[in-house]
Amino acid sequence: MTDTSEPAPLLTDRLRHWAAHSAHRPAVTYVAFPAPDSAGVHRTLSWQGLDARARAVAGRLHGTVRPGDRVALLLPQGLDYTAAFLVYAGVIAVPLFTPDLAGHGGRLAAVLDDCEPAHVLTDGPSREQVERMTGGRLPVTTVDALPQGPPATELPRPAPDDVAYLQYTSGSTRSPAGVMVTHANVVANARQAVTAFDAAPGRTTTVGWLPLFHDMGLVLSVAAPVHAGFASVLLDPVAFLERPVRWLRLLGRYPGAVSAAPNFAYDYCVTRVGADEAAELRLDRVAALLNGSEPVRPATLERFLDAFGPAGLAAEALCPAYGLAEATVFVTADRRDEPPLTVECDPGALAEGRVEVRPGGTARLTTCGRPVGQEVRVADPESNAVLDEGRVGEIQVRGPNVGAGYWKQSERSAETFRDGWLHTGDLGALHDGRLLVTGRLKDLIVVDGRNHYPQDVEETVQSALDVVRRDRLAAFTVPREEDGPEDLVVVAEVRRGTAADGALARERLARARAAVAARHGLRLVELVLVEAGTVPRTSSGKVARAACRERLISGALRAEAL
């Protein structure tokens, strides 16, 4: 385990260092795509330029806010977001998004109510909608209109244990909560990520489309580059979704490219990048592509490598990883000198909470590597007794990157951050010292005392029905009657253009039932097919199973069923 216990400077100390010693080297580049066929318009800030812009933001805030006040970042992806986050003013940043992000207006309003910001940072094009949303109750600064230049007065310097920002969780299992990430936490996690990928100026560039309000996007594209002094390249998530080949082309453009994406994005590239586009790619210089979904699907890694291996992508570049906002983000990652390891397990044993390796076993788990600069253990969720390798339990984490708790939620903080360990709520096991992630404790489907993981049921259904959109479905149980047994239900989005047809719906239910019964020994009571975009998702793209279940029980989803 790498030692990260010695004191480390703040991110702003590192920014000041690179501005002084690498003034004109590129720090962050934003690539815009103003037209569908655009090759990309690059705008770059040097280290000196980034430092000047961050100081300009701090100068504007100084005197209008106090240390410890919250400042909400309601900005689009880009250079201004990076500068606004790296504020020197001693305030608590709240990385968020502009009010026009589709489907997340309610979440934005709830977060603003919770964090009670004293100031809002935005840009010119977004200012009107931000002021409309806040009702003019908060002072708003337009970052892109600020004059450059050093602040007139000396700015306060926070202590390492002061809260640097609130990272609001994506809310895949319950309502969002703001994780208090200290200055020491983010520096420790940046160092851990840098160590894991052997990143350094001149040989590493992060290339990211993950939103900067997302924990992985923030650490990988801002904190780690600023800490270690290597360049960061950004594009908008919408630019990726419109044409995922844009991301792949940028990966090939920069030597030593490091990036991250959730599981669905790798499948999305396979289905949306044509053969002609793939043939033009050069991916032999890609250093690491993190897949941080919970859990990582082995079949996704195989499909991605089959599609882009001919472009030079090395199997060793695929790095399954594990992390969460409560640990700043980064916890474990696979080694860069060997391809991902898939463990074939006995499905019956896994349902009983044991990982028993069996060649040809139909339960396939991908290892997410070993921790870097922190400790990971697996414990019984009820007794908290530490479990041996091969036993499934709750993943627990300890290290300098673990956050200080949840903002204004002492009871929830005491439940999650206790006995010196972060109780993640994720299930997994250790295998030869490597972490296997099996699912979320709150999503677990328990039938007749046996555990079933919703993502496995979802994979079975989407493999059985070609009309179902990949990774756009949710499996869970609903009560048959009050205090009675629960029935297994799957809600699945269908491909656009799929017509409603009663006979076809019955045939699809029969096929899905047969597949689920054969694979899992479960009875699928109901298959609810809905239009594309109906299944609730978090701001980071994960299926929100709890929200989906609530909508089904309330009747809202059945009203939209095909």
Side-chain angles (χ1 to χ4, degrees), residues 41 44 57-58 104 116 140 167 177 190 207 209 230 257 280 294 319 321 339 343 352 400 427 464 477 517 535-536 548:
V41 178
T44 299
V57 174
H104 294 284
E116 300 176 293
V140 177
Q167 180 65 64
V207 178
W209 59 266
F230 52 82
E280 297 173 355
E294 302 163 349
C319 294
V343 180
E352 295 172 356
L427 292 172
T477 57
V535 172
C548 190

Side-chain angles (χ1 to χ4, degrees), residues 404-406 409-419 421 423:
Y406 297 111
Q409 296 197 36
S410 56
E411 186 174 327
R412 184 170 172 183
S413 296
E415 173 190 345
T416 304
F417 302 84
R418 55 189 165 92
D419 13 298
W421 291 84
H423 294 242

